[in-house]
Amino acid sequence: MHRLLSTLAVSSLAAVLLASTGAGAPRELWPGVTFEQGVQFTTRGPVAINVLRGPRPGGLTTLEPVLSNDTVVGRETLTSMQVRLRPTATAAGVNGDYFTLATGKPSGVLMRDAQLVSPPNGGRSSAGIRSDGALDVRRVAFAGTWRASVTARGLGALNATPAANGAALYTDAYGPSTPALAGSAAAILFPFPAATPEIGLAAPIVEARPEGGAVAIPPGGAVLVARGTQAAVLRAEAPAGGTMTVTLGLRPSWPNVVGAIGGGPQIVRNGAPIFRAGEFFTTKQLGPRAPRSAVGQLRDGRIVLVAVDGRQPGYSIGLTNFELAQALVRLGAVTGMALDSGGSTTMAVDGALLNRPSDGNERRISTALMFLYHGVYAPEPPARVSPNGDGVDDAPNLSYRLVRPSSVTVTLRAPDGSTPVSTQAQQAAGSYPVPFVGGGETGTGAAVAAGPWTLEVKATDDIGQESAMTRTFVVDDTLGFLRVPKLRAVPPRGRDIAIAFRLSREARVSVSVLDAAGRTVRRGLAEPAAREAGDQRVVWDGLGSNRRRLEGRFTVEVAATSTLGRSVLTAPIVIRKASV
């Protein structure tokens, strides 16, 4: 597995010296959006930082909050959200707001398409995305009202349980029905306008429910539920056949915001890190080193999404909230806000994880913040393709995806400049394979030219938006057919373990053993001299560099460097201790 490492200088409160690993070029996910991984070493342990960089929101790439299961109730993994979004956009992003574990309800604001789904938490910051692409981080409170007669009444909640003597509006974004609340009253509103803040939303009262119980929320409608003293008022003032006007107020007003997500606290303001924002968080939430997520905007409008892995000794210890603020500033952010942390910290692209969540498995979350791309998308092929029939990266499995009907031009360019594939077509939205001519996909058995290949896809969709993607890969069959025992019992003085592989051309070979955290525990198992083509065998005694036997899960890594470059194969092995 190849890991891209970048140098991200993050200072710490203890003023420790951070030594960064070797840097690699950012990985392009689609035009304008890149991914980088950085690993740093502090006196307290390593820190792994994952960064998505994107353009100022607008055009083909937007920045939008995403709601799990498309409803307030329930939770969903980040990767599942992205797979669900594929028919309309390609997604890359991070987890979003804090949430109630039992219900999935976000702790703060969720606004999409300028419509309010969940109200802001006045004690914490909210991040708004304005129509001009600016990120507006501020504290905003909810101040709703409902009126079915002359007097406006307080609306204390949106898509959440009302207070004992309060009222709440449930839109169809909440779920199929309201919760059952003893002693409550309800008014069913249909049709209900788009839930735009700060304007009066008038709707007919099609049914009044004087007593409690769950109420089905009609698609395109809403239900106002009241309890205690407000229930009595609702029964008296909101009969069926009347009209109700609901206002979803925000204080202060939040003009030109088309999308928003909760989280907090604000950690960067005017280009400086914030040590204490004075928001409703505990020291336990902000102080310890932990996995953490954040969003920031650079001075030129570009957006960075950050996921710091943590709680994994030997791999990444995580950061404090203030260290996260410092990291965001060093990435160039002039404004920024933290998102949910801990086991929720997740980063993914197109349904594939990019970080290592601390829970081990990906946690189901409530909301996410994502770059959404609406142009033609070509999934990334393996960096090196080895069409030798060993079952590892034998073909690049080239394809592209359209989210709108488009006129498409596809070109596959071989190392000699020829174009085995060159087509033009008018195509509907969907996914389309690209034949790898002469490769395993065609079944012809013809030899594939070694060297660099390029796939180019250009599209103009039905509303005139132009987009293009280029993917490159190298055909290199130098190394193949790696064979390593899956399990070996090793006595104290070691036991020969055969590592077999095949070379199709002359190459220099290195063989190493890595532990579960990716650290090298044994290297130099192969002679440095070049090896001729043919079957190869290297023997490892099952011991580490300190000549002590190992125990647990390991990875054997074989790298071959030839005239085509460097190719790598890996295979797992489990080592158990044996007395003899």
Side-chain angles (χ1 to χ4, degrees):
M1 175 180 179
H2 297 284
R3 178 176 294 171
L4 295 173
L5 302 177
S6 64
T7 302
L8 303 173
V10 181
S11 61
S12 75
L13 294 174
V16 298
L17 179 64
L18 297 181
S20 298
T21 66
R27 169 183 160 196
E28 184 182 76
L29 304 182
W30 62 75
V33 174
T34 61
F35 168 65
E36 301 167 64
Q37 282 185 315
V39 178
Q40 300 169 321
F41 298 94
T42 76
T43 56
R44 297 179 181 270
V47 177
I49 304 178
N50 306 276
V51 182
L52 287 169
R53 300 176 189 259
R56 187 183 189 96
L60 288 172
T61 298
T62 57
L63 179 68
E64 300 183 29
V66 177
L67 186 62
S68 67
N69 304 292
D70 213 24
T71 59
V72 172
V73 177
R75 297 184 292 134
E76 185 181 11
T77 63
L78 180 66
T79 54
S80 175
M81 293 184 208
Q82 293 178 345
V83 171
R84 179 167 53 82
L85 289 169
R86 281 177 183 169
T88 57
T90 301
V94 296
N95 62 293
D97 197 359
Y98 297 84
F99 58 92
T100 303
L101 197 63
T103 64
K105 180 189 176 300
S107 70
V109 69
L110 194 290
M111 185 190 298
R112 54 185 184 181
D113 299 326
Q115 298 178 41
L116 203 58
V117 174
S118 178
N121 182 334
R124 296 177 174 180
S125 284
S126 302
I129 303 133
R130 296 198 322 220
S131 56
D132 62 359
L135 188 68
D136 187 353
V137 179
R138 64 171 72 185
R139 290 173 68 169
V140 182
F142 180 66
T145 62
W146 66 272
R147 178 173 52 82
S149 60
V150 175
T151 305
R153 309 292 181 179
L155 180 70
L158 171 65
N159 289 325
T161 303
N165 292 300
L169 181 75
Y170 291 87
T171 67
D172 59 1
Y174 176 77
S177 66
T178 70
L181 299 172
S184 64
I188 301 175
L189 312 175
F190 183 84
F192 191 78
T196 306
E198 307 289 4
I199 64 173
L201 307 172
I205 304 172
V206 296
E207 186 179 350
R209 298 278 184 92
E211 299 301 329
V215 179
I217 304 172
V223 177
L224 188 120
V225 176
R227 300 173 66 191
T229 56
Q230 282 254 31
V233 173
L234 183 66
R235 294 184 187 103
E237 297 184 358
T243 299
M244 182 180 292
T245 300
V246 176
T247 302
L248 306 175
L250 299 176
R251 298 293 180 270
S253 62
W254 215 7
N256 303 316
V257 172
V258 294
I261 196 165
Q266 184 171 16
I267 56 176
V268 178
R269 184 187 297 122
N270 298 325
I274 299 173
F275 181 61
R276 286 286 186 269
E279 299 182 20
F280 188 64
F281 289 96
T282 65
T283 301
K284 185 177 179 180
Q285 288 174 301
L286 304 181
R289 287 181 173 82
R292 297 193 182 273
S293 304
V295 55
Q297 187 165 44
L298 280 57
R299 196 171 301 279
D300 61 7
R302 288 179 297 155
I303 297 290
V304 290
L305 300 176
V306 175
V308 179
D309 291 327
R311 297 176 183 164
Q312 300 174 71
Y315 167 64
S316 184
I317 60 170
L319 295 177
T320 68
N321 193 71
F322 184 56
E323 289 170 339
L324 178 67
Q326 293 172 305
L328 214 56
V329 168
R330 289 180 179 274
L331 288 169
V334 294
T335 187
M337 185 184 81
L339 298 165
D340 191 10
S341 59
S344 296
T345 292
T346 318
M347 179 177 283
V349 59
D350 196 33
L353 277 175
L354 294 172
N355 77 316
R356 288 171 54 171
S358 62
D359 283 359
N361 297 318
E362 187 182 0
R363 177 182 291 182
R364 291 182 299 125
I365 56 177
S366 170
T367 61
L369 185 60
M370 301 198 205
F371 293 119
L372 298 184
Y373 174 61
H374 305 278
V376 62
Y377 176 73
E380 189 174 20
R384 307 188 84 79
V385 176
S386 178
N388 54 16
D390 68 352
V392 180
D393 294 335
D394 281 332
N397 298 319
L398 304 174
S399 66
Y400 59 93
R401 189 165 67 235
L402 305 171
V403 299
R404 301 186 65 91
S406 302
S407 174
V408 182
T409 300
V410 181
T411 305
L412 180 62
R413 201 174 307 280
D416 63 359
S418 62
T419 54
V421 175
S422 182
T423 63
Q424 288 183 308
Q426 186 70 35
Q427 295 177 313
S431 296
Y432 298 89
V434 178
F436 185 37
V437 175
E441 292 173 312
T442 65
T444 63
V448 180
W453 287 67
T454 302
L455 171 67
E456 299 172 349
V457 186
K458 299 179 180 179
T460 302
D461 66 22
D462 58 346
I463 58 174
Q465 296 182 120
E466 297 181 352
S467 57
M469 280 206 72
T470 299
R471 293 298 197 190
T472 60
F473 60 96
V474 175
V475 171
D476 181 1
D477 63 353
T478 300
L479 178 63
F481 300 93
L482 175 60
R483 298 290 182 268
V484 176
K486 293 183 178 181
L487 174 66
R488 273 291 182 267
V490 177
R493 294 186 179 182
R495 172 170 291 166
D496 287 352
I497 299 172
I499 301 169
F501 53 93
R502 186 180 301 169
L503 298 176
S504 65
R505 60 180 55 82
E506 183 182 277
R508 293 184 179 274
V509 174
S510 65
V511 180
S512 304
V513 181
L514 288 67
D515 65 13
R519 297 167 297 195
T520 301
V521 295
R522 185 71 181 272
R523 58 165 49 93
L525 295 175
E527 294 293 333
R531 293 171 175 250
E532 296 181 354
D535 291 333
Q536 311 291 326
R537 186 174 184 271
V538 172
V539 176
W540 171 41
D541 56 13
L543 305 180
S545 298
N546 57 6
R547 309 308 296 169
R548 294 181 180 178
R549 63 177 171 177
L550 303 172
E551 184 178 21
R553 297 181 181 273
F554 299 89
T555 298
V556 174
E557 179 183 270
V558 179
T561 303
S562 70
T563 55
L564 296 174
R566 186 175 184 268
S567 56
V568 177
L569 284 178
T570 60
I573 184 172
V574 175
I575 301 296
R576 293 180 179 172
K577 291 184 177 180
S579 57
V580 179

